[in-house]
Every structure is written in C-alpha cells, then in structure tokens.
Amino acid sequence: MFQARRMTRPGSFFLVLFAALAVFLPGPLFAQSVDPFTVRNVQVDISADNVSVARDRALADGQRQALDLLLQRLTAPADWSRLPKLSGSDIDNAVLDVGIDHEKRSTVRYLATLSVRFKPDAIRRLLRGANIAYAEWRGRPVAVLPVFQADGTPQLSEPANPWREAWRGGAAQGIVPMIVPTAEQLDGVTTAQQAASAGPEVLAAVAQRFNTQDVLVAVATQQRLDGGKVKVDVVLTGTGPIGGGLAGTRSYDGQAGETLDMVLRRAVEDVAKTANDNWKGGNLLQFDHQASLAVMVPISGFEDWLAVRDRLTRSTPVRSYEVAAISRSEAALVLHYVGEQPQLEQVFAQNGLALSWASDHWILQTSAGRSNAGAR
C-alpha cells in the first residue's frame, strides 16, 4: 500500500525533526502528576520485641499490602485468584521507593501511613508472565469540580471546602487520573454557583480549558442525622466516556464515630473505584493478541504531527510504531499494538484520534481533523 502512494520529499530539516521525534513515546505532560503505579494511604501497625524490628516488619507488610492493592487496581476481579504471590525479595525488587507520610512509635510498636511507588516495567512483566490481562491509563484525566454545600451556599475553590480537600488528598487513586483544577485555573471559567448547576455550558467550558473529554461536577450536600452522625448526598454530573458514565446520585451514611472528613474520603474512594472499574471493563490489554496496522496520517504541518504523536503516546495498546515514509502532507506509519482492533479504535477515540477506512487503506487523524475534512 505504501509503495503505491507517491510522496514528495520534504526539506531535510523538516524530515529530521519529524523522524527524531517519531521514535520516542514520552508520557503525557498533563497527567504527569498522576501515577497509577503508586499506592497511597497504606496503613501499618506492628508490634515486636523492639521498635526497630516492628518498623522493619511494618515496612515489609506495607509493601506487600500495596502490591496486592496495585495488582487488583490493574486487573479484573475474575483474575484476582490467579495473581502471583511474590517473596519478600521479589517485592523489594519491584518497589521503586517507599514514602512515610505519617508515623508514630513506642518502644515496641510502630504505626505509619505509607506511599509505595512500584517500577512500572517490573509490574508489567509480572502480569504478562502470569498471562493476566491488565489495564493502563495514559489519556487525559477527568477534571473534577467538587462543590460542597452545608448551609445552602456552594463552595468550590474556597479553602474551607472539605469535599475539595478529600479529592485533592489522594483518595481518588487508580488508573483513571482524576484531577481537581486550582482556583487560578478555574478563574474566568466558572464560579461555585455556576458549577453547582452543572449546566452543559459549564461542562463544555471546563473541557475546553483543560483539553479533556471528561469533566465531572460532584456536588456534595452535608446532612446531620440523629446521634450526631453525618450523611452526605452526592450528585454527579459529567461529560465524556468516563465522566458521563459516572452521572447519578449516591448517599453515604456516616457510622458512629466517623467524622465528616472520613465520610467524604470514603465517597471519593467509591467514585474513583467506579471510574476505574468502568475503564477496566473495556480496556484490559490482552497481550496474547498482537498485531500490526499500516495507516496514513494526513498532516498540514509540524503541529498536526505533534498532535497525532501526543495522542498515540496516550493510546496504551500501541506499544510502538515505525515511520515508513513522510512528506509535508502525510505520514505513513506502521502501528504495533496489543488486543483487538475494535478496542484499539475505542482507545483512539477516547484520546482524540479517529481511525477510518478509505477505499484501500486506513487513515488515522485527530478527531478535529476528521470533522474539518467532513465539513468541506
């Protein structure tokens, strides 16, 4: 197919730039602050003959807990019984580092809250070796607007908003990045009152500002129940394949002794879990299915190429690609991917790419480029 298409030769500087940038697949800039291979808020509490021994055992126990949570995060529940059991040394080799967020100790007891970062390649090799499908996320994150109402007055970016702090405090862990914009980033986009209404114009404005398909407005209303217990009602309104799929209402009843902050954190964890489960449902990578696909990429300049390349980077099934030929108006690529082609097309769509058949070859372009072509 590629040999049959005549391609003009671009200038040498243009070609060198294209070719040099094409062979690298760096991570997406927007999602750098979210690492699906980090497990936070791991609680450990160990007693021993002395605190030094208790601390060593606690750190080992925390890493094992974190690994179990990470593997379950990445895989389907049906495969959890087949997840590999590692020795202590194997776990050590898979861990990048351990952060101690909080700690308390006595002469014989050690308590801590840990954050454990794992080596992505080590975890991927582990799951591939066990022939277990897993999901990753490299797309644009979900932009979350947490609106809190306690006395009828909505709060969004105000410092006193505990719902916002629950979202920003690491409760929304998983393979779906869920990021809360800062007050500065929302300036001129929406107010707390406007966000509380969750109208389509607010969702569209936020999506445009952050260049993401997925926006979630989460309105939490606090109630006081008999006995001093707390209840939180949450209304979710969203747009995009993930944000829209979370829309609905949820209620969280506080237990005896459970504070408002604890209930809000539990609510965030529940919403994040639903988002992760929804994502995994259609995006588990089946590594026993590998294929290649030749595509033509229409481009009108260097910025077009960068846009396609960025979206390819975020499309996890694409493990690598080759530039077979390139000109000022089009590039011929060979994509190497895992899974089935319908899954590949779905991930492309979620990352702003459209794959279509044109009489005798496949065309890959940004969704905006396809819309512009159709309008002509």
Side-chain angles (χ1 to χ4, degrees):
M1 180 183 72
F2 294 142
Q3 293 81 352
R5 299 179 62 86
R6 180 179 179 183
M7 307 185 73
T8 58
R9 186 180 183 85
S12 60
F13 177 72
F14 192 64
L15 178 58
V16 168
L17 270 178
F18 269 52
L21 289 172
V23 296
F24 297 105
L25 288 174
L29 298 177
F30 197 93
Q32 281 182 346
S33 61
V34 179
D35 179 7
F37 293 92
T38 295
V39 181
R40 299 179 178 85
N41 198 39
V42 179
Q43 308 289 327
V44 292
D45 182 353
I46 298 293
S47 297
D49 292 339
N50 60 70
V51 70
S52 178
V53 173
R55 183 181 184 276
D56 290 344
R57 291 180 182 174
L59 293 180
D61 179 66
Q63 292 176 72
R64 185 173 295 278
Q65 284 187 54
L67 178 62
D68 290 342
L69 291 170
L70 175 62
L71 295 181
Q72 291 180 8
R73 172 189 295 175
L74 299 175
T75 60
D79 290 324
W80 289 355
S81 63
R82 299 195 300 116
L83 290 174
K85 303 298 183 182
L86 302 187
S87 66
S89 60
D90 289 336
I91 294 176
D92 288 341
N93 291 332
V95 171
L96 182 61
D97 55 41
V98 179
I100 301 175
D101 302 322
H102 305 284
E103 66 176 355
K104 293 182 181 180
R105 63 179 73 196
S106 69
T107 56
V108 296
R109 186 181 180 192
Y110 184 82
L111 302 87
T113 302
L114 310 177
S115 293
V116 184
R117 287 199 304 167
F118 290 89
K119 300 172 184 176
D121 287 344
I123 299 301
R124 294 183 182 112
R125 286 195 300 270
L126 178 66
L127 291 172
R128 291 179 194 175
N131 196 27
I132 295 177
Y134 69 90
E136 289 187 24
W137 171 266
R138 294 183 181 177
R140 298 287 179 179
V142 180
V144 181
L145 274 60
V147 179
F148 183 70
Q149 299 184 127
D151 56 3
T153 302
Q155 299 177 357
L156 177 57
S157 298
E158 291 78 4
N161 182 350
W163 183 224
R164 180 172 180 269
E165 293 308 306
W167 280 96
R168 292 172 61 86
Q173 300 185 56
I175 53 177
V176 175
M178 308 186 83
I179 294 180
V180 178
T182 65
E184 293 75 15
Q185 290 172 327
L186 289 175
D187 186 33
V189 179
T190 186
T191 65
Q193 193 71 45
Q194 291 169 338
S197 68
E201 68 284 350
V202 171
L203 298 175
V206 175
Q208 182 176 13
R209 167 63 66 92
F210 298 104
N211 189 26
T212 180
Q213 292 180 292
D214 293 285
V215 178
L216 181 68
V217 176
V219 181
T221 303
Q222 176 189 1
Q223 298 184 36
R224 290 289 180 182
L225 303 178
D226 294 339
K229 294 181 180 180
V230 176
K231 180 180 181 182
V232 175
D233 295 320
V234 177
V235 178
L236 302 173
T237 307
T239 186
I242 295 176
L246 293 171
T249 59
R250 305 176 182 217
S251 292
Y252 302 89
D253 293 332
Q255 305 301 313
E258 197 173 21
T259 65
L260 172 63
D261 289 344
M262 294 167 67
V263 176
L264 292 175
R265 181 180 181 86
R266 181 155 55 85
V268 172
E269 291 172 345
D270 180 59
V271 174
K273 181 180 184 302
T274 302
N276 287 311
D277 289 346
N278 290 347
W279 172 256
K280 284 192 295 186
N283 292 282
L284 292 172
L285 300 181
Q286 302 286 348
F287 284 91
D288 55 342
H289 298 148
Q290 301 186 25
S292 298
L293 182 68
V295 299
M296 298 302 301
V297 180
I299 50 178
S300 60
F302 191 51
E303 290 187 359
D304 272 2
W305 168 248
L306 290 180
V308 172
R309 172 179 158 271
D310 178 57
R311 288 162 173 78
L312 277 175
T313 297
R314 301 199 303 266
S315 301
T316 309
V318 178
R319 311 315 289 174
S320 64
Y321 63 83
E322 301 163 3
V323 181
I326 196 166
S327 75
R328 293 182 183 274
S329 61
E330 60 186 358
L333 307 182
V334 179
L335 310 179
H336 304 287
Y337 66 96
V338 295
E340 303 294 342
Q341 186 168 323
Q343 182 187 47
L344 176 68
E345 294 179 23
Q346 179 186 19
V347 175
F348 277 160
Q350 291 166 344
N351 287 289
L353 288 172
L355 184 66
S356 58
W357 179 254
S359 68
D360 63 348
H361 63 276
W362 289 100
I363 293 179
L364 181 68
Q365 57 191 321
T366 64
S367 300
R370 182 178 184 181
S371 299
N372 293 337
R376 289 195 291 268

